[in-house]
Amino acid sequence: MVITMELKHVILRGETYFFRMRVPQDCVEQVGKKEITYSLQTKDPLKAQATAKEAAQAWAAKFRRIRTPLHVLVAKKAGLAVVDETEPPFKQGLIDQMERSLPKIIEEPEEHLRGRFTHYTAIIDRIQRSDHTRSFDLPELGVGWPFSPPISPRQDRQRSRDLIEILNLLCETVANEMVSPPTKQEAPQKNKKRVSAEPGDKPAAATTERHNVMDVAELMIAAKKRIAKTDATIRADIRLLQEWNRDKHDISAYTKKDLIDFVQNCLPYIPVNITKKKAYEGKSLRECVALTKKHPEKYTPISYITCGNRLVNIVMVFNYAKDQLGIIPINPARGIEIPKVRVIENGPKGFTPNELTAMWAALQVVKEDVERKPSRYWATVLSLYHGFRLNEVCSLFLGDVYEDEDGVFVIDVNEDHATKSVKNQSSVRIVPVHPFVRDQLGFKSFVESQKSARTDGMLFPDVSFVESKGYLSMVSNWFAKWKLGWLTPEAQYKHFHDLRYTFSQAAQNIAKMPDRHAQEITGHSIEGVSAVHLGYSGRLKPAVLLEELQKVKYGWETVQESPGQ
């Protein structure tokens, strides 16, 4: 299957294809949004791709017509109101030279623009890795790299950061002038014949199509809506894999041995905040890992849980290449265990009975402020009694809570809004509200009061959307501080997600809930039920789930079990 970059403008939601295109930063103010998203009204992938290509060309033409003058964009990128003489001389010189060169650059044909994009990204990559083995000339900026003559390590690092910032601006400008913009990870297609053969070299194999692992990651990201922070993490994990394997780009070139080496010898030793701390500035990944191995008490490695999350991202990308694109026969990242050579495991997951008692008492104080900050109280309660993920409960809209056709008061977890996202398809579900939460705690009354005051919008008016983190950041930050007041010091490793563990444990050990019911309520994949069977039978109705859900209790409830809705 051929990978085409036009696919990044097509996403699948349910069975219908949607068009999605990023609005250039300098056009956001005029367009009024950061992303263009709408239904292509077709289930045919070929028709969707053709329609999306035409739409992308039309939008690109519109962006070119309304683009903000470059000096305004430069000022915003630099965090300034205007670009003036207060800018550092080196950076100001780059900006001035770029503005003089851009009028000619943007008139170049697309193949020349694509070549420039590849050239600029290659330079950015070498600067970030402090690779001085090859020099580059940038007449359009009036500089070359490595800098000659060097000034001092500190000033040269700052000059490098300035050059990267301006090159990124150039990349964005060049990409916006192209009908089919490339990704920054797009590798140049060059003739890679060797100048001379080494003894023992095998004859060159027939040319085969190559697929950049970062391009595969971009396709996977474009196929499903996630919060920006998750997308950035996936890209970062793939970059780490590539750097550890000495910039191996072709995904089909990765072997099981490569992945085992990365997981066992690199992943558990990646330092915390490797891209942010000055101690790792200018060092390669292998140098940073060596520091962590030698002095783990000084250079703290990432946690075992973070290791697992990074490995999951890599497995997903290879899975996408195998199952969706068909460009590799097997997933070499599957079935590899992370070594626990230096891992200090956290204690048990979920809250203990004593911790729950302390939390419930503290929650009554939170309830006193529920009119001003309703998300804090209700997100905690709903997650404790239904096992919701934090982003799921915080991203509820008024229309997501209602009575279904059977009269059951339900919460509809979906991704039916441009700013909403779910972890996977199993996460899309309709869950009945626990009777204790609905009636005794007054959740139904709360929802009705919100709907009487507003006709649309968020269920919790104190929650706001953050592009990089979705809807969860405000409640997440609050919970991290709130738990300090009732959770013992040795249990401070627990966080909001432990409410989900607590519900699962209560469903299993207290309610004796069947696995199928628990998996549908929590949004896990349903074990033992094939997709074909699920397509015929559908999910369990909320009324059926309610019969088991109401058996979940923690000891402070006074509501009686009933078949009530």
Side-chain angles (χ1 to χ4, degrees):
M1 179 176 179
V2 179
I3 299 178
T4 58
M5 294 311 296
E6 286 79 8
L7 284 178
K8 77 174 186 177
H9 297 308
V10 179
I11 58 175
L12 183 62
R13 294 181 181 172
E15 297 180 350
T16 304
Y17 287 93
F18 280 67
F19 173 81
R20 183 170 76 176
M21 185 176 187
R22 178 183 62 83
V23 176
Q25 184 176 347
D26 54 338
C27 299
V28 170
E29 185 175 349
Q30 294 92 333
V31 176
K33 58 181 74 175
K34 294 184 178 180
E35 186 177 86
I36 306 297
T37 307
Y38 56 84
S39 173
L40 294 172
Q41 298 182 346
T42 181
K43 298 180 180 180
D44 184 348
L46 296 179
K47 184 178 179 181
Q49 186 174 348
T51 305
K53 184 176 180 180
E54 293 176 1
Q57 292 173 345
W59 277 105
K62 183 174 181 178
F63 295 152
R64 284 195 291 270
R65 290 195 300 269
I66 65 175
R67 295 195 66 191
T68 304
L70 182 66
H71 71 276
V72 176
L73 174 61
V74 172
K76 289 181 179 180
K77 284 281 187 178
L80 303 171
V82 293
V83 178
D84 55 29
E85 281 76 12
T86 61
E87 189 73 17
F90 177 78
K91 187 175 182 180
Q92 183 64 60
L94 294 178
I95 294 172
D96 293 341
Q97 186 63 40
M98 178 179 65
E99 290 189 314
R100 286 191 291 268
S101 303
L102 270 178
K104 293 182 179 179
I105 292 176
I106 62 177
E107 294 299 322
E108 293 177 352
E110 178 141 345
E111 59 268 27
H112 290 182
L113 294 175
R114 190 171 294 277
R116 283 187 178 276
F117 188 95
T118 301
H119 180 58
Y120 296 150
T121 52
I123 297 175
I124 292 172
D125 179 64
R126 287 184 178 271
I127 296 175
Q128 291 174 333
R129 293 187 289 110
S130 298
D131 184 350
H132 294 75
T133 58
R134 180 182 172 187
S135 60
F136 292 90
D137 288 321
L138 290 163
E140 57 271 62
L141 296 180
V143 297
W145 194 86
F147 300 123
S148 180
I151 302 176
S152 70
R154 181 178 179 179
Q155 290 181 322
D156 285 345
R157 284 195 297 269
Q158 182 59 52
R159 291 202 296 171
S160 295
R161 286 192 289 267
D162 292 341
L163 180 56
I164 288 174
E165 182 179 339
I166 302 304
L167 285 172
N168 276 320
L169 272 175
L170 270 175
C171 284
E172 184 175 348
T173 303
V174 168
N176 286 334
E177 292 299 321
M178 292 194 281
V179 176
S180 299
T183 65
K184 286 188 179 182
Q185 293 78 23
E186 189 169 2
Q189 301 298 316
K190 295 183 179 179
N191 184 356
K192 295 186 177 181
K193 291 183 179 179
R194 301 174 69 167
V195 177
S196 60
E198 297 293 334
D201 275 354
K202 295 180 180 180
T207 302
T208 58
E209 187 176 6
R210 298 190 176 193
H211 304 285
N212 191 314
V213 63
M214 187 59 78
D215 283 346
V216 174
E218 292 292 347
L219 288 172
M220 185 191 78
I221 289 170
K224 182 181 182 300
K225 181 177 59 176
R226 303 174 181 83
I227 60 176
K229 183 179 180 181
T230 302
D231 293 344
T233 302
I234 294 172
R235 294 185 181 101
D237 294 340
I238 294 301
R239 281 195 291 269
L240 289 171
L241 175 66
Q242 285 185 299
E243 184 177 349
W244 184 259
N245 284 278
R246 295 177 171 83
D247 293 332
K248 184 180 288 188
H249 295 292
D250 185 6
I251 193 168
S252 61
Y254 281 88
T255 65
K256 191 77 170 182
K257 184 178 179 181
D258 294 332
L259 272 299
I260 290 175
D261 177 51
F262 176 76
V263 172
Q264 294 187 348
N265 297 319
C266 172
L267 194 55
Y269 305 101
I270 295 174
V272 172
N273 294 326
I274 186 173
T275 61
K276 298 178 181 179
K277 291 187 176 180
K278 291 185 178 180
Y280 311 118
E281 193 174 290
K283 292 182 172 60
S284 68
L285 175 60
R286 290 181 177 270
E287 290 172 333
C288 293
V289 166
L291 287 175
T292 306
K293 287 182 177 180
K294 189 173 182 180
H295 304 290
E297 70 288 344
K298 182 178 179 181
Y299 304 99
T300 307
I302 59 177
S303 69
Y304 185 69
I305 292 177
T306 303
C307 288
N309 292 339
R310 289 183 179 276
L311 181 56
V312 165
N313 288 339
I314 292 170
V315 170
M316 285 196 305
V317 171
F318 280 87
N319 256 353
Y320 190 82
K322 171 179 172 287
D323 298 335
Q324 303 300 321
L325 303 179
I327 57 179
I328 57 174
I330 61 171
N331 183 346
R334 273 199 173 279
I336 303 176
E337 292 188 3
I338 302 169
K340 299 182 180 181
V341 292
R342 53 86 194 154
V343 173
I344 301 175
E345 290 282 5
N346 286 329
K349 297 177 180 178
F351 296 109
T352 66
N354 289 338
E355 290 167 352
L356 283 172
T357 300
M359 181 188 70
W360 192 252
L363 200 57
Q364 306 317 302
V365 179
V366 177
K367 190 175 183 180
E368 296 174 0
D369 197 29
V370 72
E371 290 189 9
R372 191 175 67 90
K373 297 288 185 181
S375 64
R376 296 177 176 180
Y377 177 75
W378 288 118
T380 306
V381 169
L382 291 173
S383 297
L384 181 62
Y385 277 90
H386 306 86
F388 290 127
R389 300 176 179 93
L390 179 55
N391 199 50
E392 292 174 347
V393 71
C394 288
S395 61
L396 291 174
F397 280 64
L398 284 172
D400 295 332
V401 188
Y402 55 87
E403 284 190 357
D404 70 0
E405 58 187 8
D406 296 323
V408 179
F409 196 60
V410 300
I411 293 175
D412 188 340
V413 180
N414 58 65
E415 52 179 350
D416 294 343
H417 191 274
T419 58
K420 296 176 69 173
S421 64
V422 294
K423 184 175 182 180
N424 49 49
Q425 198 57 40
S426 299
S427 303
V428 177
R429 62 199 188 277
I430 299 176
V431 180
V433 179
H434 193 289
F436 177 69
V437 176
R438 182 191 65 209
D439 301 327
Q440 297 282 105
L441 298 184
F443 181 64
K444 185 175 183 180
S445 298
F446 167 77
V447 173
E448 291 172 348
S449 68
Q450 295 299 312
K451 288 187 176 182
S452 65
R454 298 174 285 123
T455 56
D456 57 12
M458 305 301 300
L459 175 62
F460 306 123
D462 60 317
V463 167
S464 60
F465 176 74
V466 179
E467 186 174 4
S468 62
K469 298 181 180 180
Y471 292 96
L472 58 80
S473 58
M474 296 177 68
V475 176
S476 177
N477 294 337
W478 164 78
F479 191 91
K481 297 176 182 177
W482 178 61
K483 70 177 183 177
L484 298 174
W486 53 268
L487 200 56
T488 58
E490 58 272 16
Q492 284 296 326
Y493 66 88
K494 297 181 181 180
H495 43 73
F496 191 94
H497 200 73
D498 281 86
L499 294 169
R500 184 170 164 85
Y501 293 131
T502 303
F503 171 80
S504 296
Q505 293 161 7
Q508 173 182 282
N509 302 321
I510 298 174
K512 310 295 183 185
M513 190 181 296
D515 290 345
R516 169 77 182 266
H517 292 65
Q519 289 160 2
E520 291 210 22
I521 290 172
T522 56
H524 284 131
S525 58
I526 305 171
E527 296 180 5
V529 180
S530 69
V532 175
H533 177 76
L534 195 60
Y536 278 96
S537 65
R539 291 178 174 270
L540 297 177
K541 285 194 169 186
V544 176
L545 296 175
L546 182 60
E547 295 175 2
E548 298 297 331
L549 178 63
Q550 64 185 358
K551 298 176 184 178
V552 173
K553 294 184 177 182
Y554 296 102
W556 49 71
E557 299 84 356
T558 58
V559 68
Q560 299 295 317
E561 284 187 21
S562 69
Q565 309 304 316

